[in-house]
Amino acid sequence: MKNPIRLALAAPLALALAACGGGADADERVVDDGLTEGVDVDVPEVDVEYPEVSVDARGTVNYQRTYTNTDAAGGTSTITLGADDSYTMTRADGTETSGTFNWYSDNSRILIREDGESMVFGVADGALYRLADENADPNGPRTPENTFTAPAL
């Protein structure tokens, strides 16, 4: 009999305590426990694998896909390459253009000309690499900024 009486008395006390705590003010409080000051956090480096630009990518790579690049500000650009050497490019600001691209004689790089700008891309299996110019090494340095990737088939 003592347990039901204790429960009967404890229930209103628990409700009263719950009503007093929490709320918006509690969520806005910041506790400075001093634990984060001077903490050196080592983030592990993750190696990114970039596929090599293929010799004769035109004949050996399924390049007819949509490739995506996310810039440092979080904007996303896409390039879709078609079988008839057509492309559609959507820039991070939403501007969409389309036209045709040209293959270089090595069949590993393509040229897209748009509003007087020449853009050269190395073609790899599942990736396009924006190159500085037509003389740049197609298998030169890779960065997230110059890499457009396509999902695996």
Side-chain angles (χ1 to χ4, degrees):
M1 285 300 271
K2 290 183 184 180
N3 284 341
I5 292 172
R6 286 184 187 161
L7 287 174
L9 292 174
L13 288 174
L15 290 173
L17 287 173
C20 291
D25 291 338
D27 292 339
E28 294 172 8
R29 284 184 279 180
V30 175
V31 177
D32 183 9
D33 56 12
L35 294 176
T36 57
E37 188 174 324
V39 174
D40 185 18
V41 178
D42 289 326
V43 178
E45 287 188 33
V46 177
D47 290 332
V48 177
E49 291 189 31
Y50 296 103
E52 292 292 313
V53 171
S54 300
V55 175
D56 189 25
R58 186 177 195 176
T60 61
V61 171
N62 183 4
Y63 62 87
Q64 304 159 24
R65 304 161 75 174
T66 298
Y67 302 85
T68 304
N69 174 276
T70 302
D71 62 28
T76 301
S77 299
T78 63
I79 300 174
T80 302
L81 300 180
D84 55 354
D85 294 345
S86 65
Y87 76 90
T88 301
M89 182 182 297
T90 305
R91 297 188 186 260
D93 67 3
T95 305
E96 185 175 301
T97 56
S98 58
T100 57
F101 62 88
N102 298 319
W103 284 95
Y104 282 88
S105 61
D106 62 7
N107 285 326
S108 297
R109 298 169 297 145
I110 61 170
L111 172 67
I112 295 176
R113 288 195 179 129
E114 201 172 75
D115 297 327
E117 180 183 11
S118 293
M119 294 174 280
V120 180
F121 294 90
V123 180
D125 189 19
L128 293 178
Y129 303 114
R130 174 92 188 255
L131 305 174
D133 58 40
E134 66 202 42
N135 298 314
D137 180 3
N139 283 306
R142 309 263 191 267
T143 65
E145 292 79 24
N146 74 350
T147 303
F148 286 75
T149 58
L153 294 177

